[in-house]
């Protein structure tokens, strides 16, 4: 019996319509005359899904008792007995109640497939085993029911049921997914816009991987090696030389001519890891490819051309971009004679992949064979000297120890000498030693003795073999010696770079730490970083500014430099250009060429640390300027308008009472006195808010942070709100947060009063995030969250930032509606407690304010100044304590 086929409807989240589409497909199959039954399907209380069950044969579920309750499970035996052509089985990842035949529903589905029954089923992306931890980190919901990925991937068809996150939230808000009492909590927790967007991306990426797997499997089964240009993919080959940026930009321009595609830069590193490459150039090229939206890869291979082509075929590339130098004509000619350079071999073996050979004036590995590193002049000179003397010495020893002049013994001894010469001087001294040794052996040990004539053909053949073996051994020994030396140098460089990273990370001044380590690594007397900036060209205060090199950081002995760029005179022995305006200079000795690559790595680390310092300084300056500007604007607006308005009301009422020519009734006098009292209260509230804002902007707010639970502060914050306007929906397991109770009470009160004011016809809902750890974070730290939701008219998206600025009112509301500082003070207090206050639109209309505060560590914490904990003015007055009188600098 043929095995049945499995078709899975995959969704990013509950409510996207998986069951709905599955049942629609069941109706379509039934309309074609196929035998379709519903083995198990759940409508989840959704009327549209329930309506689709009508007209389909439904096999009654099996009821199983478990822990005092009854649960419905698919009756597997009944379905197998019915033996339909197609069975509808909802929730593929479901865990069966104990007592069922199988532990998991997907195992029940396997039994149906083995019986030759086709199955339609559904699964959400959060139930895939490989994505369970990722989904839990995003949503803070642990998935107990999972299904192995390979089980799902074996499905004959996987159909993605996709819907935009905005439309899904709107469906939820319209009551099409959950009951009305669960909507606000769901929107504030699992069904956040960010959560749904991330889940949708996970589903699309997972399915895209399966599509690529299917395509790769089909090509492998059919023996197809040619690239299939289903999507434009351009691979740029990098050698570690400066020309890589030229190649990357050329590949990006080629890709811009098509609609969509991938740009991949691949650096082919030799298998021994000893090829000449610039770490600084590679780092710059990696940043460039990422800025252009591409990806950076590193592969290893003995043959750069073969490794590049293998990578291109593995990613189904359509085009390859490689470089060829215009300045290496002779090397290119030799490379072509020897079988072709890298570019030539890529073109020759590329098949149907288009290859772009970009000429450039820069150096690189190019087309010719890579020259090995030199062993050093002294070592090579010693090798040549030994090549001349050692064979003579060995021949004299042979004359003393081997009077019979045995040819075989002479060859073995001289071969040993050639190996010794190769170990010391390398290839060419060893070749000279082999030739000189062969002449000595021929003259002194090969009959007839005393001349270079060889009478015996066997001796002639032995001499030829001796020369060949000596040359081959010399080549092998030379390469081994060079590789050993280079490997030792590479290990030393890797160790140095590891120490460099650790020491720099553990130091507060990372630039200074890098320079200090450069002194010990390179054994120099001084190290400095110079930057190009503006100054006076000749020291005259009236001269025009000119760009000059200035010392930015230094350690050790730094000699006085003459005018001009660092390194232009003899004082700067070694210069590494970090970028166009920054240079690293070492003083004391000239570095050998072998240390230049390590010096380039130091330059890369310094560039990253300098960029980090600049970003920190710029951010600090921008925050300072923004705070100063906000404070200045707030005070000017308060003095010019808001302070004068209540004063005008008080003066008008007092002037009327003092007017001798006008007589007021008792009711009129009470009304005037009420006006004075109301304006005084408004003026008092405005002055209090101004003092709060002054402390916030001058960094004088010092909260007393301690473990707090939301339900401790919410009742007090709602004391001034009319009854019945606010509904609180807090889960019982909300974790403690770090907050100042007085400040937090003031924050919630200001937000709720603002919602009541601008959404008069809506109920206000306070919703908290459930779970042990909230999905919200603050700077990577877990945070607790409270959402204050209203269903009023909301505000435009472009006005959200302005809403938190001082003296902002919705649609320029009249003065009687408030003074426009409530949300600004609330945000300032929230920031002072280390939290955040943000806003987003409520699905269906309205505004949702989100308070996030760090989860508690259990330790009380005072503000960063040695002052008493700050307590909001209005709460102090309400509790009956005396108000603090500002004095000193904070009084302003």
């Amino acid at each position: 019996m043929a095995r049945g086929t499995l078709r899975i409807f995959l969704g990013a989240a509950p409510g996207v319509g998986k069951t709905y589409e599955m049942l629609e497909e069941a109706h379509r199959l039934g309309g074609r005359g196929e035998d379709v039954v519903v083995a198990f399907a759940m409508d989840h209380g959704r009327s549209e899904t329930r309506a689709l069950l009508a007209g389909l044969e439904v096999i009654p579920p099996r009821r199983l008792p478990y822990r005092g309750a009854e649960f419905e499970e698919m009756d597997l035996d009944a379905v197998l007995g019915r033996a339909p052509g197609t069975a509808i089985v909802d929730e593929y990842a479901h865990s069966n109640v104990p007592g069922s035949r199988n532990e998991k529903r997907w195992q029940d589905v396997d039994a149906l497939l083995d019986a030759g029954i086709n199955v339609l089923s559904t699964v959400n992306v959060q139930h895939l085993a490989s994505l369970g931890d990722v989904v839990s980190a995003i949503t803070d919901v642990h998935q107990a029911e999972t299904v192995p990925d390979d089980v799902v991937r074996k499905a004959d068809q996987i159909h993605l049921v996709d819907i935009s996150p905005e439309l899904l939230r709107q469906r939820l808000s319209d009551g099409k997914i959950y009951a009305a009492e669960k909507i606000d909590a769901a929107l504030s927790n699992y069904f956040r816009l960010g959560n749904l967007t991330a889940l949708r991306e996970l589903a699309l990426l997972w399915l895209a991987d399966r599509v690529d797997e299917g395509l790769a499997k089909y090509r492998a089964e059919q023996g197809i090696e040619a690239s299939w240009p289903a999507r434009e993919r351009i691979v740029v080959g990098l050698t570690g030389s400066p020309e890589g940026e030229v190649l990357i930009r050329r590949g990006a321009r080629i890709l811009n001519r098509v609609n969509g595609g991938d740009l991949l830069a691949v650096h082919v590193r030799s298998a021994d890891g000893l090829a000449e490459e610039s770490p600084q150039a590679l780092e710059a090229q990696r940043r460039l490819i990422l800025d252009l939206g591409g990806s950076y890869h590193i592969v290893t291979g003995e043959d750069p051309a073969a490794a590049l082509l293998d990578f291109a075929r593995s990613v189904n590339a359509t085009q390859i971009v490689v470089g060829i130098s215009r300045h290496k004509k002779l090397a290119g000619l030799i490379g072509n004679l020897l079988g072709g350079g890298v570019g030539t071999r890529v073109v020759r073996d590329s098949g149907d992949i288009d290859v772009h050979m970009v000429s450039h004036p820069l150096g690189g590995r190019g087309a010719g064979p890579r020259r090995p590193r030199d062993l050093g002049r002294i070592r090579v000179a010693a090798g040549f000297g030994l090549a001349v003397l050692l064979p003579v010495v060995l021949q004299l020893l042979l004359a003393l120890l081997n009077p019979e002049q045995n040819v075989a013994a002479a060859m073995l001894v001289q071969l040993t000498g050639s190996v010794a010469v190769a170990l010391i001087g390398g290839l060419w001294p060893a070749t000279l030693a082999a030739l000189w040794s062969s002449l000595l052996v021929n003259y002194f040990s090969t009959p007839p003795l005393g001349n270079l004539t060889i009478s015996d053909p066997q001796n002639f053949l032995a001499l030829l073999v001796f020369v060949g073996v000596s040359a081959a051994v010399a080549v092998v020994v030379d390469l081994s010696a060079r590789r050993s030396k280079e490997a030792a140098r590479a290990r030393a460089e890797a160790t140095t770079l590891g120490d460099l990273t650790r020491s720099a990370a553990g130091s507060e001044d990372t630039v200074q730490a890098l320079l200090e380590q450069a002194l010990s690594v390179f054994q120099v007397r001084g190290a400095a970083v110079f930057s190009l900036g503006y100054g006076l060209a000749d020291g005259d205060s009236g001269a025009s500014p000119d760009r000059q090199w200035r010392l930015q950081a230094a350690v050790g002995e730094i000699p006085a430099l003459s005018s001009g760029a660092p390194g232009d005179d003899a004082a700067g022995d070694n210069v590494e250009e970090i970028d166009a305006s920054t240079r690293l200079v070492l003083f004391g000795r000239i570095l050998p060429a072998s240390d230049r690559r390590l010096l380039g790595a130091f330059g890369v680390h310094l560039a990253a640390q300098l960029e980090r310092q600049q970003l920190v300084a710029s951010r600090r300056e921008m925050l300072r300027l923004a705070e100063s500007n906000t404070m200045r604007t707030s005070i000017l607006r308060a003095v010019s308008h808001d302070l004068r308005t209540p004063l005008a009301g008080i003066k008008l009422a007092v002037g009327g009472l003092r007017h001798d020519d006008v007589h007021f009734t008792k009711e009129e006098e009470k009304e005037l006195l009420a006006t004075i009292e109301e304006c005084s209260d408004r003026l008092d509230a405005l002055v209090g808010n101004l003092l709060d804002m002054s402390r916030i902007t001058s960094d004088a707010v010092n909260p007393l942070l301690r473990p707090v639970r939301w339900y401790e502060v919410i009742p007090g914050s709602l004391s001034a709100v009319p009854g019945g306007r606010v509904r609180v929906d807090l889960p019982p397991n909300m974790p403690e947060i770090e907050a100042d109770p007085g400040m937090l009470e003031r924050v919630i009160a200001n937000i709720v009063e603002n919602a009541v004011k601008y959404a008069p016809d809506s109920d206000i809902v306070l919703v908290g995030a459930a779970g042990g750890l909230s999905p919200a974070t603050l700077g990577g730290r877990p945070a607790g969250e409270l959402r204050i939701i209203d269903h009023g008219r909301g505000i435009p998206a472009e006005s959200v930032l302005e809403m938190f600025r001082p003296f902002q009112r919705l649609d320029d509301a009249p003065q009687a509606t408030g003074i426009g500082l409530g949300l600004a003070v609330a945000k300032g207090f929230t920031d002072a407690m280390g939290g955040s206050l943000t806003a987003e639109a409520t699905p269906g209309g309205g505004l949702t304010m989100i308070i996030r505060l760090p989860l508690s560590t259990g330790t009380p914490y005072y503000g960063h100044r040695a002052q008493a904990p700050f307590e909001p003015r209005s709460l102090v007055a309400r509790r009956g304590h005396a108000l603090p009188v500002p004095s000193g600098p904070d009084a302003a």
Side-chain angles (χ1 to χ4, degrees), residues 408-609:
M411 289 183 178
L412 289 176
V413 171
Q414 293 292 355
L415 179 61
T416 304
S418 299
V419 172
V421 172
L423 288 172
I424 295 175
L427 175 62
W428 298 115
T431 303
L432 175 62
L435 295 175
W436 178 227
S437 299
S438 65
L439 292 176
L440 293 177
V441 170
N442 183 19
Y443 189 84
F444 291 103
S445 301
T446 305
L449 303 180
N451 59 62
L452 298 178
T453 304
I454 303 175
S455 59
D456 190 349
Q458 293 184 353
N459 291 335
F460 179 76
L461 178 61
L463 283 175
L464 289 180
V465 172
F466 167 74
V467 173
V469 171
S470 298
V473 170
V475 170
V476 173
V477 172
D478 173 73
L479 289 177
S480 176
R482 293 176 187 271
R483 293 297 174 87
S484 298
K485 182 179 180 180
E486 292 175 347
R489 183 184 297 115
R491 285 195 299 269
E493 289 181 0
T495 303
T496 301
L497 292 177
D499 295 339
L500 174 69
T501 303
R502 286 192 296 271
S503 62
S507 174
E508 293 184 2
D509 189 349
T510 54
V511 174
Q512 199 77 7
L514 288 173
L515 293 179
E516 290 176 355
Q517 190 157 359
L519 295 183
S520 60
V521 170
F522 297 107
Q523 296 298 306
V524 294
R525 294 196 304 269
V529 176
F530 292 86
S531 60
L532 193 61
Y534 284 97
L536 297 179
D538 54 2
D540 186 2
S541 59
S544 59
D546 189 19
R547 298 194 73 184
Q548 296 181 357
W549 289 97
R550 298 182 177 275
L551 182 64
Q552 186 170 350
V555 295
E557 302 176 10
I558 307 299
L561 299 181
S562 61
S563 60
D568 289 349
D569 51 16
D573 297 328
N574 309 278
V575 178
E576 178 68 21
E577 186 171 329
I578 297 176
D579 54 42
S581 60
T582 310
R583 290 184 178 180
L584 167 63
V585 184
L586 304 182
F587 303 91
R589 73 181 184 95
I590 299 177
L591 298 182
S594 59
D595 287 341
R596 298 300 303 182
R597 182 170 64 174
L598 187 58
L599 181 61
F602 267 79
V604 171
H605 281 74
L606 272 174
Q609 297 303 326

Side-chain angles (χ1 to χ4, degrees), residues 643-700:
L643 286 175
R644 297 178 62 183
T645 302
L647 285 175
I650 294 173
K651 184 176 181 180
L652 180 62
V654 172
L657 290 174
R658 295 187 60 187
H659 206 289
D660 297 334
D661 297 336
V662 180
H663 298 281
F664 297 98
T665 64
K666 293 292 185 181
E667 289 74 11
E668 291 172 339
E669 289 180 357
K670 289 181 180 181
E671 184 177 352
L672 290 174
L673 291 173
T675 300
I676 295 173
E677 184 178 13
E678 180 184 354
C679 291
S680 299
D681 290 341
R682 287 175 53 196
L683 184 61
D684 178 69
L686 176 57
V687 172
N689 279 326
L690 282 174
L691 290 176
D692 291 343
M693 285 302 301
S694 176
R695 291 191 175 190
I696 290 171
T697 54
S698 62
D699 199 21

Side-chain angles (χ1 to χ4, degrees), residues 93 168 226 741:
L168 181 56

Side-chain angles (χ1 to χ4, degrees), residues 317 404 463 856:
E404 295 81 6
L463 283 175
S856 173

